[in-house]
Amino acid sequence: MEKSLIILGSTGSIGTQSLTVARQNGWRVTGLAAGSNVDLIEQQVREFKPLKVALFSEEAARDLKARIADTDTAVLSGISGVCEVAESEGDLVLNAIVGIAGLRPTVAALKAGKQFALANKETLVTGGSLVMGLAREKGIKILPVDSEHSAIFQSLQGAPENSLKKILLTASGGPFYSKTREELGSVTVEQALKHPNWSMGAKITIDSATLMNKGLEVIEAVHLFGVKADDIEVLVHRQSILHSAVELVDGAVIGQLGTPDMKVPIQYALTYPERANVAYERLSLADIGTLTFAKPDTETFKCLRVCIDAINRGGLVPAAANGANEEAVRLFLDRKISFLQIGDLVEAAAANQKAAHNYTIEDVFEADRAAREFVISHFGG
Ligand code: NDP
Ligand code: MG
């Protein structure tokens, strides 16, 4: 299969795994973008020889430009540079930027009519109805990279329209499964960064520990699959083998299983509707033995409940919850707030946001800014 790819967030956990998949399949990479990691993106430029590369940081972009002056790759900078890469020559854009920073590049790629694979769930959490509307207008199917959404998407292949009854969204439960609020009071950054099953970037690893990640994924699923939050059942499944499932109107439950390896959903998004004859680690159910399922504890892990409330209220509330979370996670990683304060701040900032349906992209950024400011002015007490 001939394919040329543009990878946004190429230096991150998903970005580097996407480049591994591109290498394995022999695909061309025509564009790369990241935040500020000059060393790694220089190596990537030398290996993949893209036409364009962008770094969000102006200073890092200047450095990169000097370092790769001997190559034919054009260097761009700032958010406009990242968006220009998203619109540039190439068949498919994969957005693996972390946070709301991915929203404008998503819009740029869709406006340019690109095939589009999405890891950056914050795009849909913050700008969901705008982004889905734009994709519909352009006739673009958003291909999910997030493992659960990929599993749902895979499980729905062949299901007739209107046959989806319910989504079973699985969650590993994170490193603090079954802990009480009291026990969570004293957890450290190091403990929160140790995920039992997945190796991921720092922000999503903390989101997995608070269950914010599952809340963001409920919102992501509402937009991607056109369902209500009430039609999504979150199930704690400690082994991360069933990546999610769907229940159809006739009661049949169809799911996708596999080892916890993001290269599988990344590759499917990049080959859809085909399947690549390239496999990574194979699943042995006999070795796994037991799969378990339980209800999540949304009293202790309040972020999940806050996100469900946020999507039920709709409008700009999810953007506020997301912005507050991005800021609170940064403060936690900087050791300025405790683990439990993340959920408290996200809850308070979301409650402070008016729903305001019919919003514009500028309204989304304003809600994000206001929520961050709310967190900064309230975290001290
Ligand atoms: P990482 O933190 O590992 O990587 C983030 C990437 O985004 C880096 O390339 C970073 O560049 C880049 N970046 C950050 N800010 C900007 C910016 N302003 N402009 C351009 N690029 C920027 O994150 P992950 O790979 O873990 O996650 C990426 C996304 O995928 C997230 O939305 C996450 O929720 C989602 N996801 C991740 C999974 C995983 O297994 N990791 C699983 C499912 C979803 P630099 O390195 O230069 O800072
Ligand atoms: Mg996921």
Side-chain angles (χ1 to χ4, degrees), residues 9 11-14 34-37 56 96 119-122 146 200-201 262:
T11 54
S13 164
I14 295 290
S36 62
N37 187 341
F56 177 75
N120 177 241
K121 62 191 81 182
E122 297 90 345
D146 209 347
M200 309 179 285
M262 285 307 297

Side-chain angles (χ1 to χ4, degrees), residues 26-72:
W27 293 323
R28 216 177 134 217
V29 176
T30 50
L32 292 172
S36 62
N37 187 341
V38 188
D39 288 341
L40 184 52
I41 210 156
E42 177 185 354
Q43 283 176 34
Q44 295 177 343
V45 168
R46 292 194 181 283
E47 177 181 355
F48 291 96
K49 303 182 174 50
L51 303 171
K52 290 187 180 174
V53 61
L55 285 175
F56 177 75
S57 153
E58 305 280 350
E59 194 188 332
R62 271 195 298 279
D63 185 8
L64 179 67
K65 193 166 183 169
R67 291 196 199 189
I68 60 166
D70 61 315
T71 70
D72 294 329

